[in-house]
């Protein structure tokens, strides 16, 4: 197939391959840098997860002492959340959002490069604690007074604070860029209500990052002042308050949960319609539900603090349960999209369906925890660990893999192998449930999180061994994925411009797209411009008001058959 | 689908925003950045009010220290007037008056530097430090981060002044001046909130 775009490249200044990638301001290359960087951190934090699970496989301390174990789970949580899930979704958004909007690039390309390059620096600073007598070891939530210099001496925690400040700054700058891009760079005809759902979820996510992350930055800096300059923000002995840290952390931390899930929901909302051969059911309801989740996410933070005794339980319990309503709306949208669709179970579709089922379990255990009576019982047990992994891993990470398989052809011009992809999915899916489902039962029977050892008499051994086996199965599932990626790079099936018969504008340019993406665009009358370009607008009743189309055009487009 | 089916929509040159009507893209970026800064200072103010609410007894500096209200009032007057001089500079370049722009931006920069020097002088005479209890911690953190933002604004003003001296701005092309002025006003507003909270609501 001929490329659909006239390449606008003039005689450009030639740089070496390495220098080109180091200095690029092209949103597509920066997006790929984000994704590759995030997967490196994913593998590092995944190895830490295997270390944790190996230690917990049977009672007794086999490999680690308690101090090392504390560092392992702290680094695992911090790196997975701040340097894998958030940036990898930013990476896909970086690559796809300008394409979906029909834009040549992001609004601020050089700031875009800055937001990326702060990430590896911040991540390596966080990890570098291992070189200076031990990494941070207080859990990814960094609760006070444990994080005070008196109880956690050594530079590991300071490096953690500095690294997180840099990573936070990176995501704030990125969010400014996304919002400006979405409001200022849309193609002619691309009104707000014709934007693909993925773009809407990125917009709401960016607003959450913009408003929540700076508060966290303020808390990180306050803690740094406490530790290094004799401050007393969180020290109760001199007028400070450890609970203040929890408020600041969760005022950011709970929107953060939606920051990592909303773009994954967006990915799923792009994948499901394409592989059901139907439009997304209830586009506007989905948009309003996304905005609703964004608004509500700022009023639920204290449900992490029920057991402190310092929060108004009825309010935060009610708001937390309420946030299940817009999420339920979305589930209804997704189910109705699938309903009587012509489903094709490709790998991206399998991961999207995996997202639906696994995120549903995580959402339901979240509603259970919104009840203070239940939460008092389950606080800091493995039930919470199970819940958060069903949301972060069953939700966001399944979304990340759906996005990887779905957009890989656009990014590289080659399609990932379906057979290996399905092997990856099933190993991943089974391993995930084997690893995390038993944790619900462990939590209910009282096993606390963040402990390196447990009693052989507690009756937790079999479930823990199952969980460890599941973790290794997840790790094994990465191999078919990596083999698939490498083999596809070398000799993969050519994808063409539009291998999935997609709906959105990224499929209207070549794979991979040229610099500045488009010279020409199809007319945009809906959120599925490409579908209407190839299939027509169908019944007159469904036709957007500004479409000037005669029935003959439609017949002609379908190859002459009425 | 083939190339022929794509209807042709002309695109603007790369790197240019599409929606030239409405706010220019750099100003949108600056306003969003200020939104994030508001939340940053919101976090610090929350820490301050949380500490005061939990504090038993009168809220005053540690033994041997006292806040210098008259000096702070003078600094407030300096910073507030610098917002006016900045706005006169913006008005000048909107008219295309390059000489006025140079004069007013230069004056604003002088006032900003005066404020910073005054703040350092104040710090040197207060008699308490950041490690002296929650009062010292919140006082130096809040005013210190504000001072850092004034410094950032002064760097921006210096760049604007250097560009103005080279005659880079005109009626049609001065979005950077507008952006720096919005930031400068924001820093001023933060100081008014800080002055009210720390010096007046005692």
């Amino acid at each position: 197939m001929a490329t659909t775009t006239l390449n606008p490249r003039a005689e450009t200044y030639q740089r070496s391959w390495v220098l080109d990638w180091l200095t690029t301001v092209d949103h597509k290359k920066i997006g790929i840098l984000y994704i590759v960087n995030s997967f490196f951190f994913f593998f590092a934090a995944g190895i830490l997860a295997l270390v944790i699970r190996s230690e917990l496989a049977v009672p007794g301390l086999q490999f680690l002492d308690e101090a090392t174990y504390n560092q392992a789970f702290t680094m695992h949580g911090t790196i997975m959340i701040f340097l894998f899930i958030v940036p990898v979704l930013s990476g896909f958004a970086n690559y796809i959002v300008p394409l979906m909007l029909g834009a040549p690039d992001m609004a601020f390309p050089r700031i875009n490069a800055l937001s990326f390059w702060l990430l590896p620096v911040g991540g390596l600073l966080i990890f570098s604690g291992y070189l200076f007598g031990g990494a941070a070891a207080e859990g990814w939530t960094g609760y006070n007074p444990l994080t005070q210099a008196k109880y956690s001496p050594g530079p590991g925690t300071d490096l953690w604070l500095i690294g997180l400040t840099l990573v936070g700054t990176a995501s704030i700058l990125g969010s400014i860029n996304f919002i400006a891009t979405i409001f200022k760079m849309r193609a002619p005809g691309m009104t707000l209500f014709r934007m693909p759902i993925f773009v809407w979820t990125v917009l709401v996510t960016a607003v959450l990052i913009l408003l929540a992350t700076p508060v966290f930055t303020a808390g990180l800096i306050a803690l740094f002042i406490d530790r290094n300059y004799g401050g007393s923000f969180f020290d109760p002995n001199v007028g400070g308050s450890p609970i203040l840290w929890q408020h600041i952390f969760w005022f950011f931390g709970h929107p953060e949960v939606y920051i990592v899930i909303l773009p994954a929901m967006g990915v799923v909302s792009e994948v499901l319609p394409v592989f059901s051969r139907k439009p997304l059911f209830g586009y506007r309801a989905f948009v309003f539900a996304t905005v609703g989740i964004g608004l509500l996410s700022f009023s639920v933070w204290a449900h992490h603090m029920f057991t402190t005794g310092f929060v108004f339980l009825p309010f935060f319990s009610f708001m937390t349960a309420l946030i299940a309503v817009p999420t339920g709306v979305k589930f209804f949208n997704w189910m109705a999209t699938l309903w009587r669709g012509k489903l094709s179970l490709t790998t991206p579709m399998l991961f999207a369906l995996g997202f639906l089922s696994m995120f549903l379990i995580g959402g339901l255990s979240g509603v259970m925890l919104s009840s203070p009576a239940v939460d008092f019982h389950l606080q800091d047990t493995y039930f919470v660990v199970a819940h958060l992994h069903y949301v972060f891993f069953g939700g966001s990470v399944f979304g990340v893999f759906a996005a990887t398989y779905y957009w890989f052809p656009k990014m590289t011009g080659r399609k990932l192998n379906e057979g290996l992809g399905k092997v990856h999915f099933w190993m991943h899916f089974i391993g995930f449930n084997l690893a995390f489902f038993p944790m619900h039962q462990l939590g209910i029977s009282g096993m606390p999180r963040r402990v390196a050892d447990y009693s052989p008499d507690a009756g937790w051994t079999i479930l823990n061994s199952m969980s460890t086996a599941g973790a290794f199965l997840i790790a094994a599932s990465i191999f078919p994925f990596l083999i698939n990626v490498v083999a596809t790079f070398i000799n993969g099936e050519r994808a063409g411009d539009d291998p999935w018969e997609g709906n959105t504008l990224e499929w209207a340019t070549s794979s991979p797209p040229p610099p500045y993406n488009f010279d020409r665009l199809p007319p945009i009358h809906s959120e599925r411009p490409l579908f209407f370009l190839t299939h027509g607008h169908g019944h007159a009743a469904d036709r957007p008001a500004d479409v000037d189309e005669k029935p003959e055009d439609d017949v002609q487009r379908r190859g002459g058959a009425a | 689908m083939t190339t022929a089916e794509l209807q042709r929509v002309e695109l603007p040159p790369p790197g240019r925003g599409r929606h030239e009507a409405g706010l220019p893209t750099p100003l949108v970026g600056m306003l969003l950045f200020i939104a994030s800064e508001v939340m940053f200072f919101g976090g610090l103010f929350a820490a301050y009010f949380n500490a005061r609410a939990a504090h038993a007894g009168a809220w005053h500096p540690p033994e041997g220290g006292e806040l210098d209200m008259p000096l702070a009032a003078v600094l407030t007057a300096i910073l507030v007037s610098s917002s006016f001089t900045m706005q006169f500079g913006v008005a000048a370049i909107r008219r295309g008056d390059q000489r006025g722009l140079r004069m007013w931006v230069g004056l604003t920069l002088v006032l900003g530097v005066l404020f910073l020097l005054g703040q350092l002088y104040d710090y040197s005479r207060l008699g308490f430090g950041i490690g002296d209890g929650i009062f010292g911690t919140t006082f130096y953190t809040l005013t210190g981060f504000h001072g850092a933002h004034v410094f950032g604004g002064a760097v921006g003003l210096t760049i604007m002044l250097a560009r103005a001296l080279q005659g880079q701005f005109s009626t049609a092309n001065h979005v950077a001046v507008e952006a720096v002025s919005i930031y400068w006003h924001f820093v001023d507003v933060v100081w008014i909130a800080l002055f009210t909270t720390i010096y007046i609501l005692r």
Side-chain angles (χ1 to χ4, degrees):
Chain A
M1 181 184 288
T3 54
T4 52
T5 335
L6 297 174
N7 194 325
R9 239 178 331 197
E11 289 298 310
T12 47
Y13 167 56
Q14 289 296 316
R15 283 164 295 193
S16 74
W17 186 82
V18 175
L19 197 63
D20 187 38
W21 279 89
L22 287 177
T23 59
T24 185
V25 293
D26 178 351
H27 75 98
K28 297 181 292 298
K29 284 186 176 164
I30 292 173
I32 289 172
L33 285 172
Y34 260 103
I35 295 166
V36 171
N37 178 65
S38 305
F39 270 104
F40 272 110
F41 281 105
F42 176 55
F43 298 142
I47 289 168
L48 287 171
L50 293 182
V51 168
I52 295 168
R53 281 316 318 170
S54 304
E55 182 54 61
L56 291 174
V58 286
L61 289 175
Q62 290 86 23
F63 307 105
L64 308 173
D65 55 23
E66 273 98 347
T68 325
Y69 181 85
N70 291 348
Q71 293 172 25
F73 73 71
T74 302
M75 287 296 115
H76 166 74
T78 305
I79 299 296
M80 278 295 185
I81 290 171
F82 294 106
L83 284 141
F84 171 55
I85 308 182
V86 176
V88 77
L89 290 166
S90 293
F92 282 109
N94 235 300
Y95 197 103
I96 296 299
V97 164
L99 286 168
M100 280 184 160
L101 295 176
D105 205 312
M106 299 279 277
F108 307 112
R110 279 185 282 188
I111 291 178
N112 199 21
L114 174 65
S115 350
F116 166 72
W117 286 106
L118 286 174
L119 280 174
V121 177
L124 291 177
L125 274 175
I126 293 172
F127 260 130
S128 67
Y130 278 116
L131 303 177
F132 301 103
E138 304 88 19
W140 79 280
T141 50
Y143 272 15
N144 280 279
L146 183 58
T147 12
Q148 291 286 329
K150 193 168 146 193
Y151 305 106
S152 301
T157 307
D158 294 314
L159 290 164
W160 182 81
L161 291 169
I162 297 167
L164 281 185
T165 306
L166 289 184
V167 172
T169 308
S171 49
I172 293 168
L173 293 175
S175 71
I176 292 172
N177 218 337
F178 280 123
I179 300 173
T181 304
I182 291 169
F183 280 112
K184 301 299 290 185
M185 303 286 284
R186 300 192 309 275
M190 180 65 81
T191 61
L192 285 178
F193 276 100
R194 290 175 190 166
M195 296 196 308
I197 289 290
F198 181 67
V199 179
W200 268 107
T201 57
V202 169
L203 175 61
V204 175
T205 303
V207 172
L208 296 185
I209 292 175
L210 185 74
L211 300 181
T213 311
V215 179
F216 184 46
T217 309
L220 292 170
I221 289 170
L223 184 52
F224 193 81
I225 288 172
D226 268 20
R227 288 177 53 85
N228 294 286
Y229 306 111
S232 48
F233 278 106
F234 307 118
D235 183 357
N237 298 316
V238 271
S241 156
I243 299 293
L244 172 66
W245 168 263
Q246 296 190 25
H247 278 297
I248 288 177
F249 183 85
W250 290 116
F251 183 82
F252 152 78
H254 207 81
E256 171 79 2
V257 174
Y258 297 98
I259 288 166
V260 303
I261 200 65
L262 285 175
M265 288 173 162
V267 170
V268 168
S269 309
E270 297 301 329
V271 169
L272 290 181
V274 168
F275 297 104
S276 307
R277 313 309 307 155
K278 283 177 66 190
L280 183 78
F281 182 88
Y283 171 89
R284 274 176 188 254
F286 199 99
V287 169
F288 291 129
T290 304
V291 175
I293 289 178
L295 293 175
L296 286 172
S297 72
F298 279 104
S299 59
V300 296
W301 80 89
H303 66 217
H304 296 271
M305 303 166 57
F306 281 163
T307 56
T308 60
F310 284 96
V311 297
F312 186 53
L313 298 179
F315 174 78
F316 286 105
S317 175
F318 178 76
M319 297 308 281
T320 304
L322 194 62
I323 211 163
V325 174
T327 313
V329 169
K330 292 187 171 193
F331 265 97
F332 188 79
N333 289 137
W334 289 324
M335 304 300 280
T337 304
L338 293 172
W339 184 252
R340 301 184 71 176
K342 194 178 162 209
L343 304 191
S344 52
L345 295 177
T346 56
T347 314
M349 182 67 162
L350 285 176
F351 273 102
L353 294 172
F355 171 98
L356 286 197
S357 50
M358 295 301 99
F359 181 69
L360 180 65
I361 296 176
L364 289 176
S365 57
V367 177
M368 289 160 78
L369 288 168
S370 77
S371 156
V374 176
D375 184 80
F376 271 67
H377 185 69
L378 295 173
Q379 167 98 16
D380 276 337
T381 68
Y382 261 88
F383 190 87
V384 176
V385 179
H387 161 67
L388 73 90
H389 280 94
Y390 268 84
V391 179
F392 282 149
F393 198 140
S396 304
V397 178
F398 275 67
V400 166
F401 279 115
T404 308
Y405 283 93
Y406 182 58
W407 281 313
F408 195 89
K410 183 47 64 182
M411 295 177 173
T412 63
R414 291 170 189 273
K415 238 171 128 172
L416 285 167
N417 180 284
E418 276 294 311
L420 278 170
K422 280 172 181 153
V423 171
H424 171 208
F425 170 77
W426 284 111
M427 285 170 75
H428 206 77
F429 186 80
I430 295 167
F432 169 77
N433 281 293
L434 192 59
F436 297 108
F437 202 80
M439 290 185 183
H440 289 108
Q441 188 55 39
L442 283 171
I444 290 170
S445 58
M447 180 166 168
R449 66 193 289 201
R450 296 177 178 171
V451 290
D453 193 11
Y454 50 92
S455 161
D457 306 326
W460 298 333
T461 312
I462 290 176
L463 289 173
N464 269 306
S465 303
M466 280 168 65
S467 180
T468 301
F472 277 91
L473 187 52
I474 298 173
S477 80
I478 297 301
F479 288 98
F481 172 65
L482 284 180
I483 292 167
N484 201 348
V485 168
V486 173
T488 305
F489 262 121
I490 295 168
N491 192 21
E493 182 193 340
R494 295 265 174 204
D497 294 356
D498 185 13
W500 312 117
E501 296 183 47
N503 294 328
T504 40
L505 286 179
E506 76 268 29
W507 307 108
T509 180
S510 60
S511 306
Y516 305 117
N517 303 339
F518 309 94
D519 258 7
R520 303 280 186 268
L521 284 168
I524 300 163
H525 299 292
S526 75
E527 85 280 10
R528 302 195 297 154
L530 214 58
F531 179 87
F532 291 120
L533 185 72
T534 41
H535 298 274
H537 284 87
H539 295 294
D542 299 336
R543 212 165 284 167
D546 56 349
V547 175
D548 181 27
E549 192 174 36
K550 294 182 283 297
E552 308 88 85
D553 298 342
D554 207 29
V555 171
Q556 203 176 27
R557 188 175 284 112
R558 289 171 193 192
Chain B
M1 187 189 69
T2 61
T3 316
E5 286 185 42
L6 288 175
Q7 292 185 21
R8 312 265 147 171
V9 177
E10 285 304 321
L11 294 181
R16 295 283 301 276
R18 285 232 174 67
H19 297 235
E20 292 303 336
L23 223 46
T25 311
L27 287 193
V28 173
M30 179 53 82
L31 287 174
L32 291 168
F33 178 64
I34 287 173
S36 81
E37 292 280 60
V38 167
M39 292 308 286
F40 175 79
F41 277 102
L44 293 182
F45 272 95
Y48 176 84
F49 283 111
N50 186 74
R52 279 198 65 166
H55 190 74
W59 178 256
H60 59 73
E63 283 301 309
E66 191 47 63
L67 293 183
D68 190 344
M69 178 75 173
L71 178 56
V74 172
L75 293 180
T76 308
I78 289 175
L79 203 57
V80 171
S81 33
S82 80
S83 252
F84 284 94
T85 56
M86 184 74 228
Q87 203 54 34
F88 293 146
V90 172
I93 195 60
R94 281 180 187 160
R95 291 192 308 269
D97 175 2
Q98 301 212 19
R99 209 172 136 261
L101 174 72
R102 289 197 289 271
M103 183 185 77
W104 289 117
V105 169
L107 188 56
T108 312
L109 180 59
V110 168
L111 290 172
V113 172
L114 261 182
F115 176 88
L116 283 174
L117 293 175
Q119 199 177 25
L120 288 178
Y121 176 67
D122 188 29
Y123 281 3
S124 71
R125 296 169 61 247
L126 281 175
F128 63 93
I130 194 168
D132 294 333
I134 189 71
F135 188 99
T137 305
T138 52
F139 176 82
Y140 280 103
T141 305
L142 267 71
T143 56
F145 268 97
H146 174 263
H149 282 75
V150 176
F151 182 78
V155 170
L157 286 171
T158 309
I159 296 170
M160 290 309 105
L161 187 60
R163 292 183 60 183
L165 287 171
Q166 293 177 1
Q168 292 188 8
F169 299 118
S170 64
T171 308
N173 187 2
H174 62 273
V175 70
V177 179
E178 300 266 358
V180 171
S181 88
I182 298 176
Y183 181 77
W184 193 254
H185 296 323
F186 159 74
V187 171
D188 191 16
V189 168
V190 171
W191 177 255
I192 293 170
L194 271 179
F195 180 71
T196 316
T197 323
I198 293 180
Y199 288 87
I200 298 179
L201 295 175
R202 294 199 50 197

